[in-house]
Amino acid sequence: MSMNTASGAERLVVIGGDAAGMSAASQARRMKGPDELEIVAFERGHFTSYSACGIPYWVGGDVTDRDRLIARSPQEHQSRDIDLRMRTEVTEIDVAGGRVRARDVDSGAESWTSYDKLVIATGARPIRPDMPGADASGVHGVQTLDDGQALLDTLARTRGRRAVVVGAGYIGVEMAEALIKRDYEVTVVNRGSEPMSTLDPDMGRLVHEAMEGLGITMVNDTEVTKLLTDDDGRVRAVVTRDAEYPADVVVLGIGVRPETGLAQAAGLPLGTHGGLLTDLAMRVRGYENVWAGGDCVEVLDLVSGQERHVPLGTHANKHGQVIGTNAGGGYATFPGVVGTAVSKVCDLEIARTGLREKDARRVGLRFESVTVESTSRAGYYPGASPMTVKMLAERRTGRLLGVQIVGREGAGKRVDIAAVALTAGMTVDQMTALDLGYAPPFSPVWDPVLVAARKAARAVAQRP
Amino acid sequence: MSMNTASGAERLVVIGGDAAGMSAASQARRMKGPDELEIVAFERGHFTSYSACGIPYWVGGDVTDRDRLIARSPQEHQSRDIDLRMRTEVTEIDVAGGRVRARDVDSGAESWTSYDKLVIATGARPIRPDMPGADASGVHGVQTLDDGQALLDTLARTRGRRAVVVGAGYIGVEMAEALIKRDYEVTVVNRGSEPMSTLDPDMGRLVHEAMEGLGITMVNDTEVTKLLTDDDGRVRAVVTRDAEYPADVVVLGIGVRPETGLAQAAGLPLGTHGGLLTDLAMRVRGYENVWAGGDCVEVLDLVSGQERHVPLGTHANKHGQVIGTNAGGGYATFPGVVGTAVSKVCDLEIARTGLREKDARRVGLRFESVTVESTSRAGYYPGASPMTVKMLAERRTGRLLGVQIVGREGAGKRVDIAAVALTAGMTVDQMTALDLGYAPPFSPVWDPVLVAARKAARAVAQRP
């Protein structure tokens, strides 16, 4: 292996200064000191290691200080012997030559940096609808801290109180909550039949009803065709196939795609979702010394056996940890995901793990699906609140395939029971015997997840 | 098999009308109609199917109506074709003759009832200390609804505000909370070095500190030697080896033993903890047609491989379900427990699963033990509260052995993650990759359980 540095140390180059990239850099630094490993990291923006997931709560006012979303500043990284180059964008990866070209965003100056080991952590980019008005003033994404600040600036100077959120996934519903908290009249415009398309529609319906109960206007089954602007170029309305919604501010929450332009240009392998393909050690497939992680990769779904794109900070951190360990000379793997996600709209908690009905069908699984109503605590204990649990189990084997939960306080994190059971490949019948924590303030004597497992086990047994 | 009933139906006799017994009866009834199976159940008390775990919350005033603790009344059971005989105590089991003798508690009349199948669900009895004054007026256990009512009656007529709780296990700390809520000065007298001996002492210490923060006086490392009474035979003080504590009311929370006098007299097999021994189908070992479940049996601890006595309503319900299915001609098993328990004192949540350090040592396991501090939510999210997680992992294999958690809101039920992982036999290294629900209002980006798993995995790796 070539030794690129004067000192004889190897050089690790990291592209991207957020969760995956800087976790990798930090972990590699823990494994090896600067005499053995030089670490150079490039970040094109102003921030490192921040919680994009926290942006809706900052916009909504739950978090008042932007800097609290920053886990580790550039200076902190630099003080740990990481040569972090801010506002410096990598513009090309030369895999054959073992080097990257980077451009100083402010000066435009470009230079090549060679590497022995490379980490690609370029993240994801928000999907911007290709329609008239999409770039108007008052139209905001919420992917980066800069985006969040721009939205807050707009909210501060906007007198009108009408907000339209485009998209009803996690970001959409969280932003609807944020805007309700800021006293906006909120309309959410959604392409799907119900909000939260990561749930089956029958469970999404519960979210829909709860959102309407919060005073949010939910418009499903429609598509935005254009945004109207006023003479100053400011957005004034959202136009769908069917109607026009006046808007003083528009938030786009229609998802993200892997940011893999550099990787694609370098000929690295991409999957069907546009993300980099890696092996279990998070190495880019076919490359000994190139790793990739975070929102720019696809991950193996352990339940379906297929790759998915799951842009979530918790995975990015795990990827970074695994990459840093391996790049630092140790050994670690990331086996895959089961598709766990949790969110909330005001006090409604929404969680899911594993496969939805359509996912299971798509990969050829036959299943039984059951839904039960239960409560978060013993029915007689104060604060017991209703909870709906849907569970899918494979026919014949009875293997757990997925769980969706909608309820109030205490509902969301119950999905972890199912996430571990999915990872372990448990059957719903095995789950009925799980020894879960029980006391009246915490659970009914049969935890709601166990009630669902019992019903699912009966359903499987009745149609073998 | 003999047919004992005129109709030719088999007869199932159930001894004990609480969770295990009546779950068994109800499930057997679901499996078979009255033409096929006659069900006779004996209960010596006034109540059926009630939540003993709810009594502290009734005493504390969180639950105002006693009847809300009753899941199903005698009349409801009777309306489901169960011949439930209340206030009727079984006094002898004649296994060879296939019959039980029962006595009407009020009239004293006795008679024999024959059975084809027998379910023993006699529960547990509270340990009453054998010391002067233990039966004084104003001294209460909290095992049954009658006990709870008697205590509430005492509280209603007692002017003094000094309460002493003897014992600092789950019942003891829950009763301390109940009495604090009733505006008593509460002293808890405890034999162990810290409260909650189901935790390791270092974790019990956190409970101790929190209880003192609530104004509860916690006296550890001592033994009650006698109770002093006044001229009317009412308790007035608790005397320990070291001191005397004035008391207007005394609550005994020093645990329970399996109620197996009948079973022992009948020659049925008992374990070292005094509970009935069953097989996986919950049949009493060596008996084709006798089942036992609930607080009167010992259960297999799947982590230690040994039997334990774990009196908990959630197990009793599962046992009843399994027994009723089998006695009704179906097939079900109860594989065992991992020792999960959760409780709270005011807003302090306390949870444990698996083995404590001393349990692991006792069964010959060598282990690494780690403790981490984390938070219930992302650190920047409002309401994030500190949480301490202790984790034990086996040396060499890295297998998870146990988890203990002490924290505030959101801490307790996190133990379920570990309970499922223990059931699945996961290693702590495998746990580091678990795909748990993450969003800022629900968890830091690394869930506290994952933080502990990472530290435990490192500890195991460092000393193979």
Side-chain angles (χ1 to χ4, degrees):
Chain A
M1 189 169 284
S2 66
M3 295 292 160
N4 281 295
T5 59
S7 65
E10 283 191 314
R11 182 183 292 148
L12 174 68
V13 164
V14 177
I15 309 175
D18 203 357
M22 296 319 291
S23 290
S26 303
Q27 175 64 7
R29 177 52 74 230
R30 270 179 228 115
M31 305 281 297
K32 284 197 171 160
D35 293 345
E36 286 185 284
L37 186 71
E38 185 192 358
I39 303 177
V40 180
F42 296 99
E43 166 56 44
R44 65 183 174 189
H46 295 94
F47 305 102
T48 52
S49 306
Y50 64 89
S51 171
C53 333
I55 292 171
Y57 308 104
W58 171 39
V59 173
D62 287 318
V63 178
T64 51
D65 179 2
R66 182 199 68 194
D67 289 350
R68 297 214 57 201
L69 300 183
I70 299 173
R72 205 171 271 182
S73 70
Q75 294 70 32
E76 291 174 278
H77 285 299
Q78 284 157 347
S79 74
R80 285 173 167 83
D81 286 317
I82 294 169
D83 179 3
L84 171 62
R85 304 180 190 175
M86 297 300 296
R87 302 280 291 157
T88 308
E89 181 167 17
V90 172
T91 54
E92 186 180 345
I93 303 171
D94 173 7
V95 177
R99 58 183 191 155
V100 301
R101 186 169 61 188
R103 182 170 55 86
D104 183 302
V105 173
D106 299 316
S107 73
E110 293 208 338
S111 64
W112 288 95
T113 303
S114 60
Y115 64 78
D116 299 290
K117 297 173 172 177
L118 178 65
V119 177
I120 302 172
T122 43
R125 62 173 192 280
I127 299 169
R128 297 286 289 207
D130 180 24
M131 65 171 112
D135 295 322
S137 165
V139 180
H140 294 273
V142 283
Q143 175 73 358
T144 65
L145 288 186
D146 287 327
D147 291 343
Q149 189 61 60
L151 173 57
L152 279 168
D153 292 346
T154 289
L155 298 183
R157 67 168 178 257
T158 302
R159 271 202 303 272
R161 308 308 294 171
R162 295 162 306 182
V164 175
V165 177
V166 180
Y170 289 106
I171 301 286
V173 301
E174 288 166 3
M175 287 311 303
E177 170 182 339
L179 292 162
I180 282 282
K181 286 189 170 166
R182 294 275 182 192
D183 284 327
Y184 279 77
E185 287 172 36
V186 179
T187 301
V188 179
V189 178
N190 176 36
R191 203 159 58 172
S193 64
E194 294 292 355
M196 296 301 294
S197 65
T198 52
L199 306 178
D200 285 321
D202 53 336
M203 296 296 282
R205 178 80 207 164
L206 303 177
V207 179
H208 181 162
E209 288 163 4
M211 288 172 75
E212 294 203 326
L214 294 166
I216 297 165
T217 303
M218 187 70 232
V219 184
N220 291 312
D221 282 317
T222 192
E223 193 113 27
V224 176
T225 54
K226 62 180 170 183
L227 306 182
L228 302 182
T229 53
D230 63 19
D231 295 343
D232 300 335
R234 287 194 42 78
V235 71
R236 64 174 179 85
V238 173
V239 180
T240 69
R241 280 191 314 242
D242 319 295
E244 184 178 315
Y245 301 93
D248 303 300
V249 60
V250 173
V251 174
L252 302 175
I254 44 182
V256 297
R257 292 252 167 74
E259 178 74 276
T260 46
L262 283 180
Q264 187 171 28
L268 300 179
L270 303 185
T272 52
H273 307 281
L276 275 156
L277 294 176
T278 74
D279 64 14
L280 291 169
M282 300 305 297
R283 288 184 309 195
V284 172
R285 288 189 199 169
Y287 293 81
E288 239 350 277
N289 64 336
V290 183
W291 289 265
D295 292 359
C296 68
V297 304
E298 299 188 6
V299 290
L300 178 63
D301 182 314
L302 296 167
V303 190
S304 72
Q306 301 190 358
E307 272 78 25
R308 294 177 53 189
H309 181 232
V310 186
L312 262 184
T314 187
H315 300 326
N317 272 280
K318 291 191 183 94
H319 294 169
Q321 186 76 19
V322 166
I323 292 170
T325 299
N326 291 325
Y331 171 63
T333 61
F334 181 81
V337 305
V338 293
T340 312
V342 60
S343 186
K344 74 180 192 70
V345 201
C346 296
D347 67 344
L348 188 79
E349 301 188 357
I350 307 157
R352 52 95 70 214
T353 189
L355 307 183
R356 295 164 299 182
E357 293 194 7
K358 69 176 178 183
D359 302 321
R361 281 193 201 97
R362 189 173 45 79
V363 297
L365 292 164
R366 299 213 183 157
F367 57 88
E368 297 294 327
S369 166
V370 300
T371 301
V372 301
E373 305 284 335
S374 182
T375 54
S376 57
R377 308 173 178 195
Y380 55 78
Y381 193 86
S385 59
M387 185 184 308
T388 305
V389 181
K390 178 171 183 171
M391 186 176 283
L392 270 61
E394 191 183 13
R395 284 177 59 185
R396 299 179 63 103
T397 68
R399 183 169 60 109
L400 177 69
L401 295 180
V403 165
Q404 297 163 42
I405 305 177
V406 175
R408 307 280 160 175
E409 175 264 320
K413 278 292 267 180
R414 268 186 165 82
V415 80
D416 287 346
I417 298 163
V420 185
L422 275 174
T423 306
M426 283 189 184
T427 68
V428 289
D429 201 52
Q430 287 173 319
M431 288 178 73
T432 63
L434 282 173
D435 183 3
L436 303 179
Y438 162 64
F442 295 93
S443 172
V445 72
W446 289 96
D447 190 277
V449 175
L450 298 187
V451 177
R454 286 171 61 186
K455 189 168 178 183
R458 282 198 300 274
V460 169
Q462 279 158 16
R463 194 163 73 152
Chain B
M1 189 170 283
S2 66
M3 294 291 159
N4 281 296
T5 59
S7 66
E10 282 191 315
R11 182 183 289 148
L12 173 68
V13 164
V14 176
I15 309 175
D18 203 356
M22 297 319 291
S23 288
S26 302
Q27 176 63 6
R29 178 51 75 229
R30 269 180 228 115
M31 304 282 297
K32 284 196 170 162
D35 293 345
E36 286 185 285
L37 186 71
E38 184 191 1
I39 303 178
V40 180
F42 296 100
E43 166 54 45
R44 65 184 176 188
H46 295 92
F47 305 101
T48 51
S49 306
Y50 64 89
S51 171
C53 332
I55 293 173
Y57 308 103
W58 172 36
V59 173
D62 285 319
V63 179
T64 51
D65 179 1
R66 180 197 68 197
D67 289 350
R68 296 215 56 201
L69 300 183
I70 298 172
R72 203 170 272 182
S73 69
Q75 293 70 34
E76 288 174 278
H77 285 298
Q78 284 157 347
S79 74
R80 285 171 167 83
D81 285 319
I82 293 170
D83 179 1
L84 171 62
R85 303 180 189 174
M86 297 300 294
R87 302 280 292 155
T88 308
E89 181 168 17
V90 171
T91 54
E92 187 180 343
I93 304 171
D94 173 8
V95 176
R99 57 185 191 155
V100 301
R101 185 167 62 187
R103 181 169 58 85
D104 183 301
V105 172
D106 298 316
S107 73
E110 293 208 337
S111 64
W112 287 94
T113 303
S114 59
Y115 64 77
D116 299 290
K117 296 174 172 175
L118 178 66
V119 177
I120 302 173
T122 44
R125 62 174 192 282
I127 298 169
R128 296 287 289 206
D130 180 24
M131 65 172 109
D135 294 324
S137 165
V139 180
H140 294 272
V142 283
Q143 175 74 358
T144 65
L145 287 186
D146 287 328
D147 291 342
Q149 189 61 61
L151 172 57
L152 278 168
D153 293 345
T154 289
L155 298 183
R157 67 168 178 260
T158 301
R159 272 201 303 271
R161 308 308 294 172
R162 296 162 306 183
V164 175
V165 176
V166 180
Y170 289 105
I171 300 287
V173 301
E174 287 167 4
M175 288 310 302
E177 169 182 341
L179 293 161
I180 281 281
K181 286 189 170 165
R182 293 276 182 192
D183 284 327
Y184 279 77
E185 287 171 37
V186 180
T187 300
V188 178
V189 178
N190 176 35
R191 204 159 57 172
S193 63
E194 294 292 355
M196 296 303 294
S197 65
T198 52
L199 305 180
D200 286 320
D202 54 336
M203 296 295 282
R205 178 80 207 166
L206 304 177
V207 179
H208 182 164
E209 288 162 5
M211 289 172 75
E212 295 203 325
L214 294 166
I216 297 166
T217 302
M218 186 72 232
V219 184
N220 291 312
D221 282 318
T222 193
E223 193 113 27
V224 176
T225 54
K226 62 181 171 183
L227 306 182
L228 302 182
T229 54
D230 63 18
D231 295 343
D232 299 336
R234 287 193 43 77
V235 71
R236 64 175 179 83
V238 172
V239 180
T240 68
R241 280 191 314 240
D242 318 294
E244 185 177 315
Y245 301 93
D248 302 301
V249 61
V250 173
V251 174
L252 302 176
I254 44 182
V256 298
R257 291 252 165 74
E259 179 73 278
T260 47
L262 283 179
Q264 186 170 29
L268 300 178
L270 302 186
T272 52
H273 307 280
L276 275 156
L277 294 176
T278 75
D279 65 13
L280 291 169
M282 299 307 296
R283 289 184 309 194
V284 173
R285 288 189 198 169
Y287 293 81
E288 239 348 277
N289 63 336
V290 183
W291 288 264
D295 291 0
C296 68
V297 303
E298 298 187 6
V299 290
L300 178 62
D301 182 316
L302 296 167
V303 191
S304 72
Q306 300 190 358
E307 271 79 24
R308 294 176 53 188
H309 181 232
V310 186
L312 263 183
T314 188
H315 299 326
N317 272 279
K318 291 192 183 91
H319 295 167
Q321 187 75 19
V322 167
I323 292 170
T325 299
N326 290 324
Y331 170 63
T333 61
F334 181 81
V337 304
V338 293
T340 312
V342 60
S343 186
K344 74 180 193 70
V345 201
C346 297
D347 67 343
L348 188 80
E349 300 188 358
I350 307 156
R352 53 95 70 213
T353 190
L355 307 184
R356 295 165 298 183
E357 293 195 7
K358 70 177 179 182
D359 302 322
R361 281 193 201 97
R362 189 173 46 78
V363 297
L365 292 165
R366 298 213 186 157
F367 57 86
E368 297 294 328
S369 167
V370 301
T371 301
V372 302
E373 307 283 338
S374 182
T375 54
S376 57
R377 308 173 177 194
Y380 55 79
Y381 194 87
S385 59
M387 186 184 309
T388 304
V389 181
K390 178 171 183 170
M391 186 175 282
L392 271 60
E394 191 183 13
R395 285 177 57 185
R396 299 178 64 103
T397 68
R399 182 169 62 109
L400 177 69
L401 295 180
V403 165
Q404 298 164 41
I405 305 177
V406 175
R408 308 280 160 173
E409 175 263 319
K413 278 292 265 180
R414 270 188 165 81
V415 79
D416 287 348
I417 298 164
V420 185
L422 275 173
T423 305
M426 282 188 185
T427 67
V428 289
D429 200 53
Q430 287 174 320
M431 289 177 73
T432 63
L434 283 173
D435 183 3
L436 304 180
Y438 162 65
F442 296 93
S443 172
V445 72
W446 289 95
D447 190 278
V449 174
L450 298 188
V451 177
R454 286 172 61 186
K455 189 169 179 182
R458 282 198 300 273
V460 169
Q462 277 159 15
R463 193 162 73 155

